[in-house]
Amino acid sequence: MQRLKTRAQFQAVMAAGVCARTPHFVLHRLVLETTATAAEPATASLSGPDVALTQPASQALFAVVGAPSRQAPAQPWLGPLVPKRWAKRSVTRHLLRRQIYAVAQDFAAQLPPNGAYVVRLRAAFDPKRFVSASSEPLRQAVRSELQQLFGYAVRKLGGAGPTAAANLAAPGVLA
């Protein structure tokens, strides 16, 4: 998986809409075109908080410079969004990001490769239930909820791969 790096990339994916949601997380998805027209330069300015991206401009954000578009296999893009509002301690934010990348890597073969995804934390985990910021119970709770989130997305998007049915048959199993 390729990682989202710029604010404009995150904004473009989040503007595309919600693909799946759980009590603590939301998965946003932007469908990327795989044609050579996606590598054309953007016609709109891509700076500023209130930028309105057109379809060609948002596609240009994800063009890989120097990679031939027809020969290189398409890979999904992923970016975690973990605001301080919902995870106060940096230890917790880093734990959440690592879990997002790990679970997304497990589901990478099942997700459509022509997409960019943002996993956004939308609610805090209960600090009374998870006292330590990097405890094993918190890690397991986050991982199981992320597996549910990506499982919903795979079902909704009609994911490919032989392991898709195996993961959907046993949603409570941790990888």
Side-chain angles (χ1 to χ4, degrees):
M1 287 197 127
Q2 300 179 57
R3 294 185 178 190
L4 300 179
K5 292 183 174 57
T6 65
R7 180 178 181 173
Q9 287 176 326
F10 279 90
Q11 287 176 339
V13 175
M14 290 178 57
V18 174
C19 176
R21 68 180 67 203
T22 59
H24 292 99
F25 294 101
V26 174
L27 181 67
H28 297 270
R29 177 175 186 248
L30 172 68
V31 177
L32 301 175
E33 293 182 23
T34 56
T35 62
T37 59
E40 292 178 0
T43 56
S45 172
L46 299 177
S47 61
D50 298 327
V51 66
L53 294 174
T54 62
Q55 185 67 13
S58 64
Q59 296 293 324
L61 291 171
F62 300 97
V64 179
V65 178
S69 61
R70 294 181 183 165
Q71 296 172 355
Q75 292 182 353
W77 291 75
L78 178 72
L81 187 61
V82 185
K84 285 184 181 179
R85 177 181 181 184
W86 302 122
K88 302 282 186 206
R89 299 186 60 194
S90 67
V91 172
T92 307
R93 290 192 304 274
H94 284 93
L95 176 138
L96 293 170
R97 283 189 194 104
R98 283 192 304 269
Q99 290 294 322
I100 289 169
Y101 283 125
V103 173
Q105 192 63 37
D106 294 342
F107 282 89
Q110 301 166 28
L111 292 171
N114 63 337
Y117 303 92
V118 169
V119 178
R120 180 175 55 93
L121 180 66
R122 69 177 188 140
F125 282 88
D126 187 15
K128 293 176 183 164
R129 183 172 170 214
F130 303 107
V131 178
S132 174
S134 64
S135 64
E136 189 60 33
L138 176 61
R139 189 169 300 162
Q140 290 176 351
V142 168
R143 187 169 190 90
S144 67
E145 190 165 330
L146 286 169
Q147 286 177 333
Q148 286 179 349
L149 180 74
F150 280 99
Y152 294 153
V154 167
R155 273 186 244 144
K156 183 176 181 181
L157 301 173
T163 57
N167 281 343
L168 296 177
V173 177
L174 295 177

